[in-house]
Amino acid sequence: MSGTERGGGLTRREFVHSAAAAGLMVTLPSWAQDPAPAARRSDELAVAVIGSGAWSNSQGLNLVRYSLKIPGVRFVAVCDIWPYARRYTRNVLRKYDQNPNEYEDYRELLEKEKTLDAVLIATPDWVHAEQTIACLQAGKHVYCEKEMSNTIAGARAMVQAARASGKLLQIGHQRRSNPRYWHALKLIEKDRLLGRITHCFGQWNRPRLLEIGWPSGEELDAATLRKYGYDSMEAFRNWRWYRKYSGGPMADLGSHQLDVFNWFLKTPPRAVQASGGLDYYTEQKGRDWFDNVLAIYEYATPAGPVRAFYQVLNTTSHGGFFETFMGDEGSLLISEDTRKGQIFREETAKRREWENEADKVELMDREAINLKIGETLTATGEKDPEGQRLLAESQKPPHQLHLENFFNAIRDGTPLTCPAEVGFEACVTVLKANEAVASGCRVEFQPDDFKA
C-alpha cells in the first residue's frame, strides 16, 4: 500500500514546504540524471516496486529502503502512476548506485523487464489482486502489502494464481517474521506460560487524521486519474477512506493484529459481531469508511472457547497499538512497539526459573515482567540457542526481516512466514467484521470461507 500504514503522511502544507527540497533532488544536470546502469552480479535478484511512494513514511518507499539493507537485491524498475513518486524513489535508489527504469503502467513494466526475479507491490488495496495476478502469471515472485484485497473474491483469486504459477507470494504481515512474536509464541506453546488462553484483546488507536496532500504543481491531471480509476487527486491520496479502494481501518490496521490472534490461537474465528460507524468524519465529503470499529470474535480452540475483543479508533491515540493474550495462569502483552511487552503471572502460577527481579515492573497495580528475548533456559540450565538466534535477529527492523524471508525463499527455498493462504485467512477475518458492522448482526464463518 502506498502511504504510511498508520494512515499518516504529509499534509498539504507540509508538502508545499517540502516541495523545494524534492525539487533539488530532481533537477540534477543531465549528465547526472541517467548514469550508466551498474553491471548485475550473478547472485543478485532483479527487483521492481509497483506503488513506490514518495516520502519517508510511505510503505512502498519503506520496502525499498529496507530491501537496500539486504545484500544481493538490485532495483531495476520503479512503477507508479504518479510521476512525483517515481522521481522521488528513483533519486533515493541513485544514492545506492542503482538506476532503475521508470514506468507509469505496471503492464508496460512486465512487458519490457524480462529479467525480473521479483516484484514488491505497495499500491492501494483495490488493485492488489489485478497486479499480483499479472506478475505471477508473468513468472515473477511477488511480495504484496496487506490487505491482500478489499474483496474476498480478489484475495482468493490471488491465492489461486500463486498456486497455478508455482511462484512465491508473500503477504506483508511483517509480525510473522518478528522475533518478538516468535519468542512470545514459544512462551505460550512450549513453556505454557499462560496456561489455558481464555480471552484476547487488541487495539490500534491513532489520532485524528489530517488530509494527506501533495506538492503544489505535482497533481495528476484529470485524464490520468480517470484512466486509473480515481475521481480526484484527493481520493487518490486519501484512498484508505473510500470503500472502492480499501477495506477501511479494519483492513488497514486491524488485519495485522487479527492475524496475530489467528496465528497464536492456531485457528480462524467461528463468528464475529461488531459495532462501529462513520461518527466523527461525517462532514468530510465523500469519505465512506467507518472511523471506528469495536468487534468481538469467537474462536473454538482444542482447549476450549476463546473470545477476542478488538478495537480500532481514528480519533485518539490513547494506548496506541498492542495485543494481549489472557490465560488462567498468566497474561502476555506484546506489540511491534518495542516499549511494550510484559508478562503477568497469576498469583497461583509457579515462578519461572528465568524470572529476574530486576526485570519486574509495576503496571496497573500488578507486578509484571518485561518481555525479553533470550531469557529462557534449556533443561540443563543453559541459554536456549533458539532464543539467542531470535535475540540476534531482533536487532533488525521487522519489515527488513519479512523481506529477508521473502528473498531467502526465492534463493534457497526458505519457507515463507506469510504465504498467500495465511494472508487470505486474515483478509476474510477482517472483511467479515465490516459486514457485521453494516448488518448489525452476528456473522458466522463457514469452513469454506477460509478455503481458496
Side-chain angles (χ1 to χ4, degrees):
M1 59 181 62
S2 58
T4 175
E5 295 215 344
R6 296 173 297 174
L10 298 183
T11 64
R12 191 187 302 271
R13 177 176 293 181
E14 290 169 331
F15 252 120
V16 170
H17 285 305
S18 69
L24 289 175
M25 298 175 64
V26 298
T27 55
L28 300 172
S30 58
W31 59 265
Q33 289 183 6
D34 292 294
R40 179 185 172 188
R41 300 199 314 265
S42 60
D43 61 341
E44 279 185 332
L45 294 175
V47 179
V49 58
I50 302 176
S52 59
W55 42 90
S56 61
N57 61 356
S58 68
Q59 191 61 10
L61 191 54
N62 277 340
L63 295 181
V64 170
R65 291 185 188 278
Y66 290 124
S67 295
L68 289 170
K69 297 177 181 290
I70 303 171
V73 174
R74 177 165 290 274
F75 284 89
V76 300
V78 171
C79 180
D80 200 295
I81 68 171
W82 194 17
Y84 179 81
R86 297 198 301 270
R87 296 198 309 269
Y88 198 108
T89 302
R90 192 181 184 198
N91 282 319
V92 169
L93 287 166
R94 282 175 172 171
K95 295 179 180 179
Y96 293 85
D97 192 30
Q98 300 197 21
N99 185 39
N101 297 318
E102 291 185 35
Y103 296 94
E104 174 185 298
D105 195 311
Y106 75 90
R107 287 161 289 203
E108 182 184 6
L109 181 154
L110 293 176
E111 179 183 347
K112 292 184 177 180
E113 299 291 345
K114 301 298 186 183
T115 63
L116 270 180
D117 296 303
V119 179
L120 310 182
I121 295 178
T123 50
D125 300 351
W126 75 304
V127 289
H128 282 177
E130 170 192 331
Q131 295 170 346
T132 296
I133 291 169
C135 291
L136 291 168
Q137 291 177 344
K140 317 305 177 188
H141 302 291
V142 177
Y143 180 113
C144 180
E145 265 304 334
K146 63 87 204 153
E147 194 62 55
M148 281 184 80
S149 173
N150 63 332
T151 69
I152 292 174
R156 181 175 280 115
M158 292 167 69
V159 178
Q160 295 170 349
R163 289 176 184 156
S165 69
K167 295 299 178 180
L168 299 173
L169 174 54
Q170 173 94 307
I171 306 302
H173 292 280
Q174 72 273 0
R175 283 165 177 76
R176 291 271 179 165
S177 295
N178 189 328
R180 286 170 57 82
Y181 283 82
W182 280 101
H183 177 62
L185 189 60
K186 175 184 177 296
L187 293 175
I188 291 172
E189 291 184 347
K190 184 177 179 181
D191 298 343
R192 300 287 300 165
L193 188 69
L194 309 185
R196 176 190 160 186
I197 295 176
T198 57
H199 296 86
C200 306
F201 175 80
Q203 70 169 50
W204 197 318
N205 294 346
R206 59 185 175 184
R208 179 173 59 88
L209 299 177
L210 301 177
E211 178 185 356
I212 301 175
W214 54 91
S216 177
E218 293 289 352
E219 301 86 352
L220 282 166
D221 61 79
T224 301
L225 286 166
R226 286 195 302 270
K227 176 182 177 181
Y228 293 104
Y230 296 95
D231 299 328
S232 64
M233 192 67 184
E234 190 278 331
F236 170 63
R237 295 294 295 119
N238 296 276
W239 58 270
R240 286 177 176 81
W241 284 104
Y242 297 91
R243 292 172 186 261
K244 178 180 178 180
Y245 309 123
S246 82
M250 281 296 286
D252 185 26
L253 303 176
S255 63
H256 280 302
Q257 297 169 291
L258 291 165
D259 174 56
V260 174
F261 287 177
N262 293 353
W263 179 21
F264 279 29
L265 297 177
K266 294 192 175 303
T267 185
R270 66 181 179 185
V272 61
Q273 49 191 319
S275 176
L278 187 60
D279 301 333
Y280 185 83
Y281 298 98
T282 53
E283 296 181 1
Q284 301 264 0
K285 182 180 178 181
R287 298 190 179 185
D288 49 20
W289 261 128
F290 313 126
D291 54 41
N292 70 101
V293 175
L294 311 174
I296 300 174
Y297 286 87
E298 300 172 18
Y299 288 83
T301 75
V306 175
R307 300 185 192 277
F309 179 80
Y310 182 75
Q311 71 175 34
V312 55
L313 308 179
N314 286 274
T315 53
T316 174
S317 60
H318 177 74
F321 54 95
F322 60 86
E323 306 88 49
T324 303
F325 295 86
M326 293 164 274
D328 56 9
E329 292 192 21
S331 301
L332 183 146
L333 183 150
I334 188 169
S335 174
E336 264 203 341
D337 181 347
T338 56
R339 297 169 298 179
K340 299 177 182 178
Q342 285 86 35
I343 302 164
F344 302 89
R345 177 165 51 83
E346 293 293 323
E347 290 184 2
T348 56
K350 68 176 182 179
R351 185 180 185 277
R352 304 290 171 152
E353 66 278 1
W354 44 262
E355 287 187 32
N356 189 330
E357 292 295 327
D359 292 330
K360 292 183 178 180
V361 294
E362 290 291 333
L363 293 174
M364 299 180 291
D365 298 323
R366 297 176 62 192
E367 190 177 75
I369 306 164
N370 284 322
L371 179 65
K372 293 176 63 178
I373 298 176
E375 77 257 23
T376 52
L377 306 175
T378 65
T380 59
E382 300 171 342
K383 288 190 175 181
D384 182 9
E386 177 64 10
Q388 296 305 297
R389 181 186 68 81
L390 293 174
L391 177 61
E393 287 189 351
S394 69
Q395 308 308 308
K396 299 178 182 178
H399 283 87
Q400 180 180 335
L401 290 168
H402 206 44
L403 287 159
E404 284 183 0
N405 173 250
F406 173 60
F407 293 129
N408 288 339
I410 296 173
R411 285 195 172 101
D412 55 31
T414 300
L416 292 175
T417 56
C418 191
E421 290 81 1
V422 170
F424 176 71
E425 191 175 273
C427 185
V428 174
T429 299
V430 299
L431 295 185
K432 286 288 186 179
N434 287 335
E435 291 182 19
V437 174
S439 67
C441 300
R442 180 175 182 270
V443 173
E444 294 192 3
F445 295 91
Q446 303 302 319
D448 287 347
D449 289 338
F450 296 101
K451 295 179 181 178

mmCIF file of all heavy atoms in Angstrom, residues 310-350:
data_model
loop_
_atom_site.group_PDB
_atom_site.id
_atom_site.type_symbol
_atom_site.label_atom_id
_atom_site.label_comp_id
_atom_site.label_asym_id
_atom_site.label_seq_id
_atom_site.Cartn_x
_atom_site.Cartn_y
_atom_site.Cartn_z
ATOM 1 N N TYR A 310 -11.518 -6.638 19.777
ATOM 2 C CA TYR A 310 -10.598 -5.788 19.028
ATOM 3 C C TYR A 310 -11.256 -4.450 18.735
ATOM 4 O O TYR A 310 -12.444 -4.387 18.391
ATOM 5 C CB TYR A 310 -10.180 -6.436 17.707
ATOM 6 C CG TYR A 310 -9.190 -5.564 16.966
ATOM 7 C CD1 TYR A 310 -7.872 -5.492 17.403
ATOM 8 C CD2 TYR A 310 -9.586 -4.756 15.914
ATOM 9 C CE1 TYR A 310 -6.969 -4.644 16.781
ATOM 10 C CE2 TYR A 310 -8.694 -3.914 15.283
ATOM 11 C CZ TYR A 310 -7.385 -3.863 15.731
ATOM 12 O OH TYR A 310 -6.485 -3.008 15.128
ATOM 13 N N GLN A 311 -10.467 -3.375 18.884
ATOM 14 C CA GLN A 311 -10.982 -2.049 18.552
ATOM 15 C C GLN A 311 -9.976 -1.288 17.719
ATOM 16 O O GLN A 311 -8.762 -1.409 17.902
ATOM 17 C CB GLN A 311 -11.304 -1.248 19.812
ATOM 18 C CG GLN A 311 -10.087 -0.785 20.607
ATOM 19 C CD GLN A 311 -10.466 0.104 21.788
ATOM 20 O OE1 GLN A 311 -11.509 -0.072 22.403
ATOM 21 N NE2 GLN A 311 -9.600 1.058 22.098
ATOM 22 N N VAL A 312 -10.500 -0.493 16.788
ATOM 23 C CA VAL A 312 -9.674 0.431 16.022
ATOM 24 C C VAL A 312 -10.385 1.771 16.032
ATOM 25 O O VAL A 312 -11.556 1.881 15.664
ATOM 26 C CB VAL A 312 -9.423 -0.075 14.578
ATOM 27 C CG1 VAL A 312 -10.714 -0.370 13.836
ATOM 28 C CG2 VAL A 312 -8.578 0.926 13.801
ATOM 29 N N LEU A 313 -9.686 2.802 16.533
ATOM 30 C CA LEU A 313 -10.237 4.139 16.655
ATOM 31 C C LEU A 313 -9.359 5.118 15.881
ATOM 32 O O LEU A 313 -8.132 4.998 15.891
ATOM 33 C CB LEU A 313 -10.308 4.576 18.126
ATOM 34 C CG LEU A 313 -11.003 3.617 19.103
ATOM 35 C CD1 LEU A 313 -10.963 4.197 20.516
ATOM 36 C CD2 LEU A 313 -12.437 3.330 18.681
ATOM 37 N N ASN A 314 -9.978 6.081 15.240
ATOM 38 C CA ASN A 314 -9.244 7.059 14.440
ATOM 39 C C ASN A 314 -9.415 8.483 14.947
ATOM 40 O O ASN A 314 -9.248 9.436 14.190
ATOM 41 C CB ASN A 314 -9.706 6.975 12.981
ATOM 42 C CG ASN A 314 -9.173 5.740 12.295
ATOM 43 O OD1 ASN A 314 -8.065 5.736 11.767
ATOM 44 N ND2 ASN A 314 -9.949 4.671 12.300
ATOM 45 N N THR A 315 -9.709 8.598 16.242
ATOM 46 C CA THR A 315 -9.895 9.923 16.836
ATOM 47 C C THR A 315 -9.042 10.139 18.076
ATOM 48 O O THR A 315 -9.026 11.235 18.634
ATOM 49 C CB THR A 315 -11.367 10.111 17.227
ATOM 50 O OG1 THR A 315 -11.785 9.007 18.045
ATOM 51 C CG2 THR A 315 -12.253 10.182 15.994
ATOM 52 N N THR A 316 -8.325 9.125 18.507
ATOM 53 C CA THR A 316 -7.493 9.233 19.704
ATOM 54 C C THR A 316 -6.342 8.249 19.601
ATOM 55 O O THR A 316 -6.494 7.149 19.071
ATOM 56 C CB THR A 316 -8.298 8.929 20.977
ATOM 57 O OG1 THR A 316 -7.408 8.916 22.106
ATOM 58 C CG2 THR A 316 -8.991 7.575 20.894
ATOM 59 N N SER A 317 -5.195 8.638 20.106
ATOM 60 C CA SER A 317 -4.038 7.742 20.117
ATOM 61 C C SER A 317 -3.896 7.024 21.452
ATOM 62 O O SER A 317 -2.895 6.340 21.686
ATOM 63 C CB SER A 317 -2.754 8.533 19.821
ATOM 64 O OG SER A 317 -2.559 9.542 20.805
ATOM 65 N N HIS A 318 -4.886 7.151 22.327
ATOM 66 C CA HIS A 318 -4.788 6.595 23.670
ATOM 67 C C HIS A 318 -4.457 5.099 23.632
ATOM 68 O O HIS A 318 -5.159 4.302 23.027
ATOM 69 C CB HIS A 318 -6.095 6.790 24.423
ATOM 70 C CG HIS A 318 -6.089 6.185 25.792
ATOM 71 N ND1 HIS A 318 -5.388 6.746 26.841
ATOM 72 C CD2 HIS A 318 -6.658 5.059 26.280
ATOM 73 C CE1 HIS A 318 -5.543 6.002 27.916
ATOM 74 N NE2 HIS A 318 -6.307 4.965 27.608
ATOM 75 N N GLY A 319 -3.364 4.733 24.272
ATOM 76 C CA GLY A 319 -2.979 3.328 24.359
ATOM 77 C C GLY A 319 -2.226 2.799 23.164
ATOM 78 O O GLY A 319 -1.624 1.723 23.250
ATOM 79 N N GLY A 320 -2.267 3.504 22.033
ATOM 80 C CA GLY A 320 -1.515 3.054 20.867
ATOM 81 C C GLY A 320 -2.001 1.718 20.341
ATOM 82 O O GLY A 320 -3.201 1.472 20.204
ATOM 83 N N PHE A 321 -1.045 0.821 20.056
ATOM 84 C CA PHE A 321 -1.394 -0.472 19.467
ATOM 85 C C PHE A 321 -0.664 -1.595 20.191
ATOM 86 O O PHE A 321 0.511 -1.488 20.524
ATOM 87 C CB PHE A 321 -1.082 -0.499 17.964
ATOM 88 C CG PHE A 321 0.329 -0.126 17.606
ATOM 89 C CD1 PHE A 321 1.305 -1.097 17.413
ATOM 90 C CD2 PHE A 321 0.686 1.204 17.440
ATOM 91 C CE1 PHE A 321 2.600 -0.756 17.072
ATOM 92 C CE2 PHE A 321 1.992 1.561 17.099
ATOM 93 C CZ PHE A 321 2.945 0.566 16.921
ATOM 94 N N PHE A 322 -1.369 -2.688 20.428
ATOM 95 C CA PHE A 322 -0.806 -3.845 21.120
ATOM 96 C C PHE A 322 -1.803 -4.986 21.058
ATOM 97 O O PHE A 322 -2.972 -4.803 20.683
ATOM 98 C CB PHE A 322 -0.472 -3.515 22.580
ATOM 99 C CG PHE A 322 -1.662 -3.083 23.394
ATOM 100 C CD1 PHE A 322 -2.488 -4.014 24.021
ATOM 101 C CD2 PHE A 322 -1.975 -1.736 23.528
ATOM 102 C CE1 PHE A 322 -3.594 -3.614 24.763
ATOM 103 C CE2 PHE A 322 -3.080 -1.328 24.269
ATOM 104 C CZ PHE A 322 -3.889 -2.280 24.879
ATOM 105 N N GLU A 323 -1.363 -6.163 21.462
ATOM 106 C CA GLU A 323 -2.216 -7.336 21.586
ATOM 107 C C GLU A 323 -1.963 -7.966 22.957
ATOM 108 O O GLU A 323 -0.828 -7.965 23.425
ATOM 109 C CB GLU A 323 -1.940 -8.380 20.505
ATOM 110 C CG GLU A 323 -2.000 -7.851 19.086
ATOM 111 C CD GLU A 323 -0.687 -7.303 18.588
ATOM 112 O OE1 GLU A 323 0.347 -7.993 18.726
ATOM 113 O OE2 GLU A 323 -0.675 -6.159 18.066
ATOM 114 N N THR A 324 -3.009 -8.495 23.576
ATOM 115 C CA THR A 324 -2.902 -9.143 24.876
ATOM 116 C C THR A 324 -3.576 -10.509 24.820
ATOM 117 O O THR A 324 -4.693 -10.629 24.316
ATOM 118 C CB THR A 324 -3.553 -8.306 25.986
ATOM 119 O OG1 THR A 324 -2.957 -7.014 26.011
ATOM 120 C CG2 THR A 324 -3.363 -8.968 27.343
ATOM 121 N N PHE A 325 -2.880 -11.516 25.347
ATOM 122 C CA PHE A 325 -3.419 -12.864 25.455
ATOM 123 C C PHE A 325 -3.542 -13.192 26.938
ATOM 124 O O PHE A 325 -2.561 -13.097 27.683
ATOM 125 C CB PHE A 325 -2.515 -13.868 24.742
ATOM 126 C CG PHE A 325 -2.456 -13.649 23.256
ATOM 127 C CD1 PHE A 325 -1.550 -12.751 22.709
ATOM 128 C CD2 PHE A 325 -3.326 -14.315 22.410
ATOM 129 C CE1 PHE A 325 -1.514 -12.521 21.345
ATOM 130 C CE2 PHE A 325 -3.297 -14.097 21.042
ATOM 131 C CZ PHE A 325 -2.387 -13.200 20.500
ATOM 132 N N MET A 326 -4.736 -13.568 27.372
ATOM 133 C CA MET A 326 -5.021 -13.784 28.790
ATOM 134 C C MET A 326 -5.405 -15.235 29.051
ATOM 135 O O MET A 326 -6.283 -15.779 28.379
ATOM 136 C CB MET A 326 -6.155 -12.855 29.232
ATOM 137 C CG MET A 326 -5.765 -11.385 29.205
ATOM 138 S SD MET A 326 -7.184 -10.249 29.279
ATOM 139 C CE MET A 326 -7.609 -10.162 27.533
ATOM 140 N N GLY A 327 -4.707 -15.854 30.011
ATOM 141 C CA GLY A 327 -4.975 -17.234 30.372
ATOM 142 C C GLY A 327 -5.164 -17.398 31.861
ATOM 143 O O GLY A 327 -5.026 -16.437 32.635
ATOM 144 N N ASP A 328 -5.431 -18.633 32.287
ATOM 145 C CA ASP A 328 -5.710 -18.862 33.702
ATOM 146 C C ASP A 328 -4.454 -18.896 34.565
ATOM 147 O O ASP A 328 -4.533 -18.942 35.786
ATOM 148 C CB ASP A 328 -6.541 -20.136 33.898
ATOM 149 C CG ASP A 328 -5.892 -21.363 33.303
ATOM 150 O OD1 ASP A 328 -4.716 -21.284 32.882
ATOM 151 O OD2 ASP A 328 -6.552 -22.421 33.239
ATOM 152 N N GLU A 329 -3.265 -18.855 33.934
ATOM 153 C CA GLU A 329 -2.018 -18.799 34.705
ATOM 154 C C GLU A 329 -1.237 -17.523 34.481
ATOM 155 O O GLU A 329 -0.288 -17.237 35.204
ATOM 156 C CB GLU A 329 -1.142 -20.013 34.371
ATOM 157 C CG GLU A 329 -1.709 -21.334 34.855
ATOM 158 C CD GLU A 329 -0.703 -22.467 34.764
ATOM 159 O OE1 GLU A 329 0.514 -22.193 34.713
ATOM 160 O OE2 GLU A 329 -1.136 -23.628 34.745
ATOM 161 N N GLY A 330 -1.623 -16.759 33.481
ATOM 162 C CA GLY A 330 -0.910 -15.512 33.229
ATOM 163 C C GLY A 330 -1.425 -14.814 31.990
ATOM 164 O O GLY A 330 -2.282 -15.324 31.268
ATOM 165 N N SER A 331 -0.885 -13.621 31.748
ATOM 166 C CA SER A 331 -1.245 -12.833 30.575
ATOM 167 C C SER A 331 0.023 -12.310 29.922
ATOM 168 O O SER A 331 1.056 -12.126 30.589
ATOM 169 C CB SER A 331 -2.147 -11.660 30.963
ATOM 170 O OG SER A 331 -3.322 -12.107 31.587
ATOM 171 N N LEU A 332 -0.064 -12.066 28.627
ATOM 172 C CA LEU A 332 1.083 -11.564 27.884
ATOM 173 C C LEU A 332 0.635 -10.415 27.011
ATOM 174 O O LEU A 332 -0.313 -10.546 26.231
ATOM 175 C CB LEU A 332 1.699 -12.676 27.040
ATOM 176 C CG LEU A 332 2.970 -12.324 26.253
ATOM 177 C CD1 LEU A 332 3.900 -13.531 26.170
ATOM 178 C CD2 LEU A 332 2.644 -11.846 24.828
ATOM 179 N N LEU A 333 1.295 -9.276 27.155
ATOM 180 C CA LEU A 333 1.051 -8.099 26.323
ATOM 181 C C LEU A 333 2.230 -7.939 25.389
ATOM 182 O O LEU A 333 3.385 -7.957 25.820
ATOM 183 C CB LEU A 333 0.878 -6.858 27.184
ATOM 184 C CG LEU A 333 0.554 -5.544 26.463
ATOM 185 C CD1 LEU A 333 -0.284 -4.636 27.359
ATOM 186 C CD2 LEU A 333 1.816 -4.786 26.022
ATOM 187 N N ILE A 334 1.934 -7.791 24.100
ATOM 188 C CA ILE A 334 3.001 -7.686 23.112
ATOM 189 C C ILE A 334 2.621 -6.655 22.063
ATOM 190 O O ILE A 334 1.439 -6.378 21.839
ATOM 191 C CB ILE A 334 3.281 -9.063 22.448
ATOM 192 C CG1 ILE A 334 4.533 -8.987 21.567
ATOM 193 C CG2 ILE A 334 2.060 -9.557 21.666
ATOM 194 C CD1 ILE A 334 5.014 -10.344 21.093
ATOM 195 N N SER A 335 3.635 -6.064 21.427
ATOM 196 C CA SER A 335 3.402 -5.055 20.400
ATOM 197 C C SER A 335 4.633 -4.959 19.516
ATOM 198 O O SER A 335 5.734 -5.340 19.925
ATOM 199 C CB SER A 335 3.121 -3.699 21.051
ATOM 200 O OG SER A 335 3.031 -2.669 20.087
ATOM 201 N N GLU A 336 4.441 -4.439 18.304
ATOM 202 C CA GLU A 336 5.606 -4.097 17.488
ATOM 203 C C GLU A 336 6.318 -2.885 18.057
ATOM 204 O O GLU A 336 7.471 -2.628 17.729
ATOM 205 C CB GLU A 336 5.191 -3.833 16.035
ATOM 206 C CG GLU A 336 5.363 -5.050 15.154
ATOM 207 C CD GLU A 336 5.513 -4.699 13.685
ATOM 208 O OE1 GLU A 336 5.143 -3.587 13.286
ATOM 209 O OE2 GLU A 336 6.003 -5.556 12.946
ATOM 210 N N ASP A 337 5.638 -2.135 18.879
ATOM 211 C CA ASP A 337 6.266 -1.059 19.639
ATOM 212 C C ASP A 337 7.107 -1.724 20.732
ATOM 213 O O ASP A 337 6.573 -2.279 21.686
ATOM 214 C CB ASP A 337 5.187 -0.169 20.253
ATOM 215 C CG ASP A 337 5.750 0.998 21.035
ATOM 216 O OD1 ASP A 337 6.957 1.008 21.326
ATOM 217 O OD2 ASP A 337 4.967 1.903 21.389
ATOM 218 N N THR A 338 8.418 -1.692 20.588
ATOM 219 C CA THR A 338 9.305 -2.435 21.484
ATOM 220 C C THR A 338 9.277 -1.919 22.916
ATOM 221 O O THR A 338 9.829 -2.553 23.809
ATOM 222 C CB THR A 338 10.745 -2.403 20.959
ATOM 223 O OG1 THR A 338 11.167 -1.036 20.799
ATOM 224 C CG2 THR A 338 10.843 -3.108 19.608
ATOM 225 N N ARG A 339 8.629 -0.792 23.155
ATOM 226 C CA ARG A 339 8.491 -0.287 24.523
ATOM 227 C C ARG A 339 7.402 -1.045 25.275
ATOM 228 O O ARG A 339 7.288 -0.901 26.494
ATOM 229 C CB ARG A 339 8.169 1.206 24.500
ATOM 230 C CG ARG A 339 9.252 2.079 23.890
ATOM 231 C CD ARG A 339 8.744 3.483 23.657
ATOM 232 N NE ARG A 339 7.626 3.499 22.707
ATOM 233 C CZ ARG A 339 6.986 4.606 22.343
ATOM 234 N NH1 ARG A 339 7.347 5.778 22.853
ATOM 235 N NH2 ARG A 339 5.988 4.549 21.479
ATOM 236 N N LYS A 340 6.622 -1.803 24.560
ATOM 237 C CA LYS A 340 5.515 -2.534 25.167
ATOM 238 C C LYS A 340 5.780 -4.027 25.071
ATOM 239 O O LYS A 340 6.011 -4.547 23.978
ATOM 240 C CB LYS A 340 4.198 -2.203 24.453
ATOM 241 C CG LYS A 340 3.811 -0.743 24.509
ATOM 242 C CD LYS A 340 2.551 -0.490 23.714
ATOM 243 C CE LYS A 340 2.190 0.987 23.720
ATOM 244 N NZ LYS A 340 0.991 1.261 22.907
ATOM 245 N N GLY A 341 5.746 -4.683 26.204
ATOM 246 C CA GLY A 341 5.930 -6.122 26.229
ATOM 247 C C GLY A 341 6.092 -6.592 27.660
ATOM 248 O O GLY A 341 7.170 -6.444 28.249
ATOM 249 N N GLN A 342 5.022 -7.113 28.245
ATOM 250 C CA GLN A 342 5.073 -7.553 29.631
ATOM 251 C C GLN A 342 4.368 -8.900 29.797
ATOM 252 O O GLN A 342 3.468 -9.247 29.029
ATOM 253 C CB GLN A 342 4.403 -6.533 30.571
ATOM 254 C CG GLN A 342 5.206 -5.281 30.836
ATOM 255 C CD GLN A 342 4.981 -4.236 29.775
ATOM 256 O OE1 GLN A 342 3.884 -4.116 29.246
ATOM 257 N NE2 GLN A 342 6.024 -3.482 29.453
ATOM 258 N N ILE A 343 4.800 -9.620 30.818
ATOM 259 C CA ILE A 343 4.189 -10.876 31.209
ATOM 260 C C ILE A 343 3.626 -10.701 32.618
ATOM 261 O O ILE A 343 4.320 -10.223 33.515
ATOM 262 C CB ILE A 343 5.220 -12.013 31.210
ATOM 263 C CG1 ILE A 343 5.858 -12.163 29.825
ATOM 264 C CG2 ILE A 343 4.588 -13.329 31.655
ATOM 265 C CD1 ILE A 343 7.136 -12.980 29.834
ATOM 266 N N PHE A 344 2.374 -11.075 32.807
ATOM 267 C CA PHE A 344 1.731 -11.006 34.114
ATOM 268 C C PHE A 344 1.482 -12.441 34.591
ATOM 269 O O PHE A 344 0.784 -13.202 33.922
ATOM 270 C CB PHE A 344 0.399 -10.260 34.027
ATOM 271 C CG PHE A 344 0.518 -8.855 33.499
ATOM 272 C CD1 PHE A 344 0.443 -8.609 32.138
ATOM 273 C CD2 PHE A 344 0.694 -7.788 34.352
ATOM 274 C CE1 PHE A 344 0.549 -7.323 31.643
ATOM 275 C CE2 PHE A 344 0.790 -6.493 33.878
ATOM 276 C CZ PHE A 344 0.727 -6.261 32.509
ATOM 277 N N ARG A 345 2.044 -12.802 35.715
ATOM 278 C CA ARG A 345 1.846 -14.147 36.251
ATOM 279 C C ARG A 345 0.760 -14.110 37.312
ATOM 280 O O ARG A 345 0.779 -13.276 38.223
ATOM 281 C CB ARG A 345 3.170 -14.671 36.846
ATOM 282 C CG ARG A 345 3.059 -16.034 37.494
ATOM 283 C CD ARG A 345 4.447 -16.624 37.727
ATOM 284 N NE ARG A 345 5.353 -15.718 38.404
ATOM 285 C CZ ARG A 345 5.397 -15.545 39.728
ATOM 286 N NH1 ARG A 345 4.563 -16.207 40.516
ATOM 287 N NH2 ARG A 345 6.273 -14.728 40.271
ATOM 288 N N GLU A 346 -0.212 -15.032 37.193
ATOM 289 C CA GLU A 346 -1.242 -15.127 38.225
ATOM 290 C C GLU A 346 -0.597 -15.577 39.540
ATOM 291 O O GLU A 346 0.411 -16.296 39.550
ATOM 292 C CB GLU A 346 -2.316 -16.131 37.801
ATOM 293 C CG GLU A 346 -3.142 -15.700 36.602
ATOM 294 C CD GLU A 346 -4.016 -14.502 36.886
ATOM 295 O OE1 GLU A 346 -4.539 -14.408 38.018
ATOM 296 O OE2 GLU A 346 -4.188 -13.655 35.982
ATOM 297 N N GLU A 347 -1.165 -15.162 40.661
ATOM 298 C CA GLU A 347 -0.574 -15.457 41.966
ATOM 299 C C GLU A 347 -0.442 -16.954 42.211
ATOM 300 O O GLU A 347 0.468 -17.395 42.912
ATOM 301 C CB GLU A 347 -1.426 -14.819 43.068
ATOM 302 C CG GLU A 347 -1.348 -13.302 43.092
ATOM 303 C CD GLU A 347 -2.125 -12.719 44.252
ATOM 304 O OE1 GLU A 347 -2.679 -13.517 45.044
ATOM 305 O OE2 GLU A 347 -2.173 -11.485 44.380
ATOM 306 N N THR A 348 -1.356 -17.724 41.628
ATOM 307 C CA THR A 348 -1.324 -19.178 41.857
ATOM 308 C C THR A 348 -0.384 -19.906 40.913
ATOM 309 O O THR A 348 -0.162 -21.111 41.066
ATOM 310 C CB THR A 348 -2.739 -19.754 41.694
ATOM 311 O OG1 THR A 348 -3.237 -19.402 40.389
ATOM 312 C CG2 THR A 348 -3.671 -19.201 42.757
ATOM 313 N N ALA A 349 0.184 -19.193 39.915
ATOM 314 C CA ALA A 349 1.069 -19.840 38.945
ATOM 315 C C ALA A 349 2.491 -19.916 39.499
ATOM 316 O O ALA A 349 2.926 -19.068 40.282
ATOM 317 C CB ALA A 349 1.069 -19.060 37.633
ATOM 318 N N LYS A 350 3.213 -20.932 39.075
ATOM 319 C CA LYS A 350 4.567 -21.117 39.584
ATOM 320 C C LYS A 350 5.515 -20.062 39.023
ATOM 321 O O LYS A 350 5.333 -19.562 37.917
ATOM 322 C CB LYS A 350 5.080 -22.506 39.236
ATOM 323 C CG LYS A 350 5.323 -22.738 37.752
ATOM 324 C CD LYS A 350 5.921 -24.125 37.505
ATOM 325 C CE LYS A 350 6.212 -24.342 36.022
ATOM 326 N NZ LYS A 350 6.810 -25.678 35.761
#
